[in-house]
Amino acid sequence: MRALFLLLANALLLNSAVGMDFERDVRALFQERCIECHGEKKQKGELRLDAKTFASKGGHGGSIIVPGKAEESPLYLRIVSGDPDDRMPPKGQPLTALQISAIKTWIEAGAVWPENASDKTALVDKRLQHWSVQPIPEVFPSGAGIDFYIEQALANKGLGLSPEADRRSLIRRVFFDLVGLPPSPERVDQFVSDTSPKAYERLIEELLASPNYGERWARHWLDIAHYADTHGFERDQLRPNAWLYRDYVIRAFNADKPYDQFLREQIAGDTISRPTSESIAASGFLAAGPWDFVGQVETKSPVLKRASRAGDLDDIVTQVITSTMGITLNCARCHDHKLDPISQREYYSMCAVFSGVKRGTRDLDPNETLRFAKENSDLEKQLQTVRQQLADASGSGLSLADIVGGGNGFGSGVKGSGIVLGSGTITTQKLAMTGSIEANRLKPPAWPSKTQAAKYIPGVFLPNSPENKGSGVYLSDDVILTGLPKTSGQSWDAIRNGPLNAQVHTKIGATDYNSEGHSVLGLHANSGIVFDLAEIRQGSGLKILTLTGQGGFGATPGAASSKADFTVFIDAKIALKKTGIHKGDFFEINLSIPESARFLSLVATDGGDGIGSDLLFLGDATLEPEETKGTLKASEQSTRVFLRAEIERLKKAISALRKPDQIYAVVSEEIPSALKIHRRGNPEDESDEVTPKGFAWTNHAPLEFGDNATPEGQRRMALARWITTPTNPLTRRVLVNRLWHHHFGQGIVTTPSDFGLGGDAPSHPELLDWLASQFLKSGWSIKHMHREILLSRSYKQRSVVENVEAARLDSSNRLLWRQNPRRLDAESLRDAVLCVTGQLNPERGGPGFRDFKYTEAYAPIYEYIAADQPELCRRSIYRFVVRTTPHQFLSTFDCPDPANLTPARSQTTTALQALALSNNEFILKQARHLTSRVEKESADSKSTIQRSFALCLQRLATPEEASSASHLVSQHGLFSLCRMLLNSNEFLYFD
């Protein structure tokens, strides 16, 4: 059939070749049947047939037309296809034989496409002309400035600026804008009465110099960084060391660190030749977002690991580009960006910059790390030497790990051998979760009964609180272990002569107890083992014994919050009990064992939180001989006493060493593996390999950041320079717009993190560019830009609507004919309440305060409590932020979800907000504190009312308000007035 069709087409071709006209027979045909799917607005398969250049390139970078060879041209083969799913066009009737003939004739004749005006217009990609990527002008009109451009735009509408706000409104506005706290009544009075023309300027300088300024403006940046103190996702585990990045941001704002340096440090501060604690703290920016512990660590599925890693890279890339350049690069993860000229290849090339970046805990100060390592190593070597001297002076002891391995205690045991709890089976294989085991039932090891190890170990058991009172683990008729804690009844692996399955380390200090000359006895919760001391004395000839060793917690990196307990029983009495042992903890064992004692039992239990990663181990657990004084010379006794004292001194010195501070930040691979494009964003469907580079749209600097052999740190440093180079038009525009947004309630561009084609156009484009120009001239000084904005008449305008015509013409106030009244954000509201009640704790920096009860579980439980202790009344910036459990009071007032980037907070008005201000436990407690403060600071009932108004609203009550308040107090008490003032709109909003 197809052959007959082609014969007919060829016959028609011979008849029409001479008279074929491109405009009439080809371009018109493309316009009629093709551009619905392959035109300017829509390009299926990335193919356009509405203009010359696009048609010659074809879809997916290939050639759709091969001039002179119709039968090799995909375009021609698709229109003559007999397969309905392959044939083009897909809708309507197939092309007629005459139309097909015209296209074939045109191709065979060389596919000449005469260029017309529409072709020339189509050659220009209008997206490349978008305002945000155009260079920032260097020259501006004489007199250019904020008021110049604002008044010019208003004049075009026949409008003007509103009068300046009153002094009381102005000081409240500046205080909340710059430091996020209300001014004291005394500071308001001082400013209002100061008639100096420089009074307002001095006020701005005072607030910019205040440490409260950094605390306020760090909050805005942390919103963009979606910072929190937990991982998020289903496990939402703690990040106890994340706060160092938060404090870095606060210090940077207070120091007015140049913004370009601020960005470079956060993107690549850990990669410089000599990183400092400051630059490493800055790199916490890249690790500030959520992290999927289950997908990155716990899952056994490589597919899930790759998907989680792809999501992690996307989060990092999105954060960096969105926060600095205001571009939605992440929209190109699955396909070319639908609005902006950014390809999927460019997205993955940017991901390649970060392909060696992982998140984790690392030392903060390299110098401190070296100092600690040297001091610790020196002391550990001394300790090992002294211990060896004591061993030489005391004679050889018995290794408990060797006995567990089937040996005699002197090295004959099998390394790696273990005893299975439920059966007593001897195994060298690594085991996982044990099956159902009867608790507290002693199970003898399955060695031949004549071996010494079989005599030395009467049994192993799974410990659990006995169901019947008075029962326990029977070691003999008269020795019963009782007082065991309630456990999950589960266990892992076996009791081993060596590390357990999944145990990642066996180090305590500088000593690895799994190395030559040392031993490890592995005990996962829940497990117990009993040693028969009578048999050991008889078999070894030792008379009186001492148990020595080091206990450690060899957990996986993600087990920071898992805990376990360890107990030593001598006969039925508890000789040592360690509870709540966490990763990184270690403890010393040094127990004298009476000659009359028969049994020694070691018991590991789960600490009440399940077995988790409770990988306990004992290093060099030894039963040492202790000779009687009568058998030793005085000099020998003296030597042993001295050596024991020296051991204790060295152990105390090691414990007293100041460990290096650690931070949750980036941990990088030197040379990352190459990254490939994921078709449709699917990590399991890879295509071409990419190299680290930027996207071409801004066209402000070279795009290449190296190749796949370039070290990871150099890639990030190249990106940081690319973002902060003065020729990048986006970085400065985005930042000054963010400042404008926070000072006026909306930006010149109302989409502060989308400067692409899907974002808003600037209301005052020339003003935006002038601000960006001033920013560079100031040396990237953010404080300088605050001064420019706050000293303008545009900022100082009243917020009340006095011009009805202006309200009609510009109801959203985009032209800024008045200032915008604004509501306190959630944190400023909480801080303002604490400030006026006198409860605000001014302590700065350090770990965040935890205003919740924490319960360890598979997914930890966070239960919030009302702040009423000094340690919980610090500024909200220092709150320990839980990612998946939002703070109810703060969330009610639109505190953002830290799982998401928040360039602009939503502002809702709900009934829940009124209820929270009236009845929330925090507000009620603070209203009582305010009552007490007012009573202490007032002389009589009249001054009590005025003091209440002054503290809360920074003004005195009017006569009408004073009268109503007096009536309220007489009827319901001062508490009711204080509660009412904290509920007032005037407290919640500033003009």
Side-chain angles (χ1 to χ4, degrees):
M1 186 69 180
R2 183 172 182 272
L4 179 62
F5 185 81
L6 290 174
L7 285 172
L8 177 60
N10 285 332
L12 289 170
L13 174 64
L14 292 173
N15 293 330
S16 62
V18 177
M20 195 277 298
D21 180 86
F22 172 78
E23 294 292 337
R24 180 192 66 208
D25 300 325
V26 179
R27 189 195 289 271
L29 178 59
F30 287 160
Q31 292 288 333
E32 178 186 352
R33 298 301 306 275
C34 301
I35 64 168
E36 180 182 352
C37 297
H38 303 289
E40 180 182 1
K41 295 182 179 179
K42 184 178 181 181
Q43 301 92 40
K44 292 189 69 173
E46 303 176 22
L47 171 65
R48 285 179 64 174
L49 289 172
D50 62 327
K52 176 180 179 179
T53 302
F54 296 111
S56 64
K57 290 179 180 177
H60 300 289
S63 179
I64 200 74
I65 300 168
V66 181
K69 298 178 181 180
E71 293 290 345
E72 295 180 18
S73 299
L75 174 67
Y76 178 73
L77 295 177
R78 292 292 296 275
I79 65 177
V80 301
S81 174
D83 184 351
D85 294 330
D86 188 55
R87 187 258 301 171
M88 300 297 285
K91 299 178 182 179
Q93 294 296 318
L95 297 184
T96 66
L98 191 61
Q99 291 171 325
I100 292 172
S101 173
I103 291 176
K104 183 174 185 181
T105 300
W106 172 63
I107 295 174
E108 293 287 2
V112 177
W113 187 308
E115 191 175 273
N116 63 13
S118 63
D119 288 318
K120 293 178 181 179
T121 302
L123 288 176
V124 179
D125 188 344
K126 295 178 181 177
R127 299 178 301 172
L128 300 178
Q129 308 303 313
H130 190 61
W131 65 268
S132 68
V133 298
Q134 303 311 306
I136 295 172
E138 297 182 2
V139 179
F140 294 87
S142 175
I146 292 174
D147 295 328
F148 173 86
Y149 289 112
I150 295 295
E151 289 180 313
Q152 189 177 72
L154 288 171
N156 290 337
K157 294 286 186 178
L159 303 173
L161 294 172
S162 294
E164 185 173 310
D166 65 88
R167 303 277 276 186
R168 175 255 177 192
S169 296
L170 203 53
I171 189 173
R172 284 189 91 236
R173 181 187 301 170
V174 175
F175 256 81
F176 279 119
D177 264 1
L178 286 184
V179 299
L181 294 170
S184 68
E186 294 74 22
R187 187 64 184 89
V188 173
D189 291 343
Q190 179 187 355
F191 178 68
V192 170
S193 60
D194 189 345
T195 58
S196 167
K198 295 288 186 180
Y200 178 66
E201 190 173 329
R202 286 198 300 269
L203 173 64
I204 292 172
E205 294 304 320
E206 170 193 328
L207 296 180
L208 289 176
S210 167
N212 292 322
Y213 161 76
E215 294 170 336
R216 173 61 183 150
W217 280 84
R219 180 66 267 165
H220 296 316
W221 184 258
L222 295 178
D223 278 0
I224 304 169
H226 58 341
Y227 167 88
D229 296 283
T230 62
H231 287 330
F233 289 91
E234 61 183 288
R235 292 293 298 274
D236 203 18
Q237 295 176 325
L238 303 171
R239 287 181 184 171
N241 300 315
W243 61 269
L244 289 133
Y245 168 67
R246 174 250 290 154
D247 280 5
Y248 160 82
V249 177
I250 294 172
R251 289 194 302 272
F253 275 102
N254 276 331
D256 197 22
K257 181 169 290 188
Y259 182 65
D260 59 337
Q261 180 185 347
F262 179 62
L263 294 184
R264 286 194 297 272
E265 287 179 350
Q266 291 180 89
I267 296 169
D270 61 314
T271 71
I272 59 179
S273 58
R274 293 185 178 179
T276 64
S277 58
E278 187 79 352
S279 65
I280 290 177
S283 72
F285 171 69
L286 299 180
W291 184 69
D292 183 4
F293 172 75
V294 173
Q296 300 259 10
V297 176
E298 283 195 333
T299 183
K300 298 294 189 287
S301 167
V303 174
L304 292 179
K305 281 186 181 292
R306 286 190 289 269
S308 182
R309 175 58 177 159
D312 195 42
L313 277 177
D314 179 73
D315 182 77
I316 294 173
V317 169
T318 299
Q319 176 171 311
V320 170
I321 300 304
T322 300
S323 62
T324 61
M325 296 176 66
I327 295 298
T328 57
L329 180 73
N330 54 309
C331 292
R333 180 179 180 181
C334 303
H335 46 69
D336 287 354
H337 202 296
K338 293 301 183 183
L339 298 175
D340 299 337
I342 298 174
S343 69
Q344 188 184 24
R345 176 177 292 275
E346 288 177 314
Y347 167 83
Y348 283 99
S349 294
M350 189 69 76
C351 286
V353 175
F354 299 98
S355 60
V357 170
K358 303 290 178 66
R359 311 182 198 219
T361 299
R362 61 179 292 171
D363 289 343
L364 177 66
D365 188 333
N367 295 325
E368 279 295 291
T369 301
L370 293 173
R371 186 270 313 163
F372 175 81
K374 184 179 186 310
E375 293 180 7
N376 191 69
S377 176
D378 291 345
L379 289 171
E380 287 283 356
K381 288 177 182 177
Q382 294 177 49
L383 182 59
Q384 289 181 40
T385 300
V386 175
R387 278 180 170 157
Q388 186 60 52
Q389 291 171 349
L390 180 61
D392 294 340
S394 303
S396 299
L398 284 86
S399 165
L400 296 188
D402 183 69
I403 296 173
V404 169
N408 59 8
F410 296 106
S412 64
V414 177
K415 186 71 178 290
S417 179
I419 309 169
V420 181
L421 287 183
S423 62
T425 304
I426 308 303
T427 183
T428 56
Q429 294 183 343
K430 296 290 188 182
L431 307 178
M433 189 80 77
T434 58
S436 178
I437 299 174
E438 183 181 0
N440 303 331
R441 177 61 62 91
L442 208 60
K443 199 73 179 177
W447 292 308
S449 59
K450 293 183 180 180
T451 62
Q452 278 189 308
K455 295 176 182 179
Y456 288 176
I457 301 178
V460 295
F461 64 96
L462 188 146
N464 204 347
S465 179
E467 295 182 3
N468 300 318
K469 190 174 182 180
S471 63
V473 183
Y474 279 74
L475 308 186
S476 67
D477 291 340
D478 57 347
V479 179
I480 306 169
L481 299 187
T482 59
L484 295 169
K486 180 68 177 174
T487 70
S488 66
Q490 298 175 314
S491 192
W492 176 269
D493 200 10
I495 299 176
R496 289 195 180 275
N497 173 19
L500 298 163
N501 183 15
Q503 193 160 331
V504 296
H505 75 83
T506 49
K507 291 184 70 174
I508 298 176
T511 303
D512 186 349
Y513 286 92
N514 195 36
S515 62
E516 186 72 26
H518 297 281
S519 68
V520 169
L521 197 168
L523 281 164
H524 196 293
N526 298 294
S527 61
I529 184 169
V530 182
F531 295 90
D532 190 322
L533 295 171
E535 290 287 350
I536 290 174
R537 288 190 191 97
Q538 183 176 347
S540 67
L542 300 176
K543 300 300 181 183
I544 300 175
L545 306 174
T546 300
L547 174 64
T548 62
Q550 304 285 315
F553 194 79
T556 58
S561 57
S562 185
K563 61 183 179 181
D565 299 337
F566 176 71
T567 309
V568 178
F569 290 87
I570 297 177
D571 286 337
K573 298 180 80 171
I574 295 176
L576 176 71
K577 189 174 183 66
K578 296 292 182 179
T579 59
I581 306 167
H582 287 69
K583 178 191 173 188
D585 289 350
F586 67 92
F587 52 91
E588 181 84 10
I589 303 173
N590 193 345
L591 296 174
S592 293
I593 302 175
E595 189 172 359
S596 60
R598 180 173 177 188
F599 297 106
L600 172 70
S601 303
L602 310 178
V603 182
T605 49
D606 58 29
D609 64 349
I611 65 171
S613 299
D614 298 343
L615 295 147
L616 290 174
F617 69 92
L618 301 181
D620 289 349
T622 306
L623 288 171
E624 296 182 352
E626 185 172 319
E627 302 292 347
T628 60
K629 293 183 179 179
T631 64
L632 291 176
K633 297 178 181 178
S635 60
E636 292 174 329
Q637 292 181 26
S638 176
T639 297
R640 292 181 62 189
V641 169
F642 170 77
L643 291 174
R644 289 187 185 280
E646 186 67 4
I647 287 173
E648 290 302 314
R649 183 191 70 79
L650 290 169
K651 287 192 300 187
K652 288 180 181 178
I654 291 171
S655 298
L657 282 178
R658 185 170 58 84
K659 295 181 179 179
D661 290 330
Q662 293 191 310
I663 181 175
Y664 187 83
V666 295
V667 181
S668 63
E669 302 172 352
E670 179 63 18
I671 302 293
S673 56
L675 192 68
K676 294 182 178 180
I677 295 172
H678 298 165
R679 293 187 182 93
R680 299 188 178 183
N682 180 6
E684 303 308 305
D685 185 9
E686 296 182 326
S687 61
D688 299 341
E689 187 173 292
V690 294
T691 57
K693 61 192 302 185
F695 53 88
W697 185 23
T698 54
N699 193 31
H700 67 277
L703 303 178
E704 289 73 21
F705 304 147
D707 54 30
N708 286 331
T710 301
E712 188 279 322
Q714 292 182 24
R715 303 180 189 192
R716 281 192 283 133
M717 184 56 74
L719 170 64
R721 294 191 182 105
W722 184 76
I723 288 173
T724 58
T725 184
T727 54
N728 187 338
L730 283 168
T731 302
R732 285 185 281 142
R733 282 187 175 122
V734 167
L735 190 278
V736 296
N737 185 70
R738 292 194 195 281
L739 297 178
W740 193 271
H741 166 84
H742 292 302
H743 283 308
F744 287 95
Q746 61 180 343
I748 296 172
V749 179
T750 60
T751 52
S753 280
D754 188 357
F755 272 43
L757 277 76
D760 185 26
S763 58
H764 302 76
E766 296 88 357
L767 171 58
L768 184 66
D769 283 352
W770 182 84
L771 291 168
S773 172
Q774 293 301 112
F775 190 34
L776 183 62
K777 290 179 180 178
S778 71
W780 301 81
S781 167
I782 290 177
K783 286 189 177 182
H784 175 82
M785 301 313 298
H786 285 306
R787 296 184 185 97
E788 290 282 358
I789 294 172
L790 270 60
L791 289 170
S792 70
R793 287 185 292 119
S794 301
Y795 175 84
K796 292 187 287 184
Q797 294 179 95
R798 294 177 188 171
S799 65
V800 294
V801 178
E802 297 177 338
N803 189 330
V804 177
E805 179 64 12
R808 185 186 68 81
L809 292 173
D810 182 23
S811 59
S812 62
N813 195 29
R814 291 288 283 131
L815 298 178
L816 283 179
W817 49 273
R818 66 182 177 110
Q819 178 59 276
N820 292 302
R822 282 168 282 154
R823 196 190 74 196
L824 298 180
D825 61 35
E827 292 91 337
S828 293
L829 172 59
R830 177 185 175 276
D831 293 352
V833 169
L834 291 170
C835 185
V836 302
T837 63
Q839 298 301 299
L840 185 63
N841 181 347
E843 181 185 347
R844 296 188 171 91
F849 64 86
R850 302 188 183 190
D851 54 350
F852 52 80
K853 293 179 181 178
Y854 175 79
T855 303
E856 181 68 49
Y858 175 80
I861 300 169
Y862 303 91
E863 299 174 274
Y864 286 102
I865 56 178
D868 201 30
Q869 301 85 38
E871 63 271 16
L872 302 184
C873 292
R874 300 172 67 199
R875 287 203 70 173
S876 300
I877 188 73
Y878 299 116
R879 188 172 66 88
F880 192 99
V881 180
V882 179
R883 209 175 288 274
T884 60
T885 308
H887 189 287
Q888 189 174 18
F889 178 78
L890 296 178
S891 296
T892 301
F893 290 93
D894 305 310
C895 187
D897 179 355
N900 304 316
L901 306 170
T902 308
R905 293 191 178 194
S906 59
Q907 194 171 96
T908 62
T909 302
T910 68
L912 281 177
Q913 293 167 355
L915 291 171
L917 284 174
S918 297
N919 303 315
N920 183 271
E921 185 181 1
F922 167 71
I923 292 293
L924 294 176
K925 286 186 175 183
Q926 294 307 314
R928 294 187 186 98
H929 287 304
L930 178 59
T931 303
S932 299
R933 178 182 182 181
V934 169
E935 288 174 339
K936 291 177 183 177
E937 296 178 2
S938 305
D940 51 38
S941 58
K942 183 177 180 181
S943 60
T944 294
I945 291 171
Q946 292 297 353
R947 186 59 177 167
S948 301
F949 272 78
L951 286 171
C952 293
L953 308 182
Q954 292 80 53
R955 66 172 177 82
L956 297 178
T958 65
E960 293 79 10
E961 289 171 334
S963 176
S964 298
S966 178
H967 179 72
L968 176 65
V969 171
S970 66
Q971 295 292 314
H972 301 285
L974 181 59
F975 169 78
S976 294
L977 174 62
C978 292
R979 183 185 181 195
M980 181 206 74
L981 289 172
L982 294 178
N983 275 264
S984 64
N985 274 348
E986 194 171 347
F987 181 83
L988 191 60
Y989 286 81
F990 63 96
D991 293 326

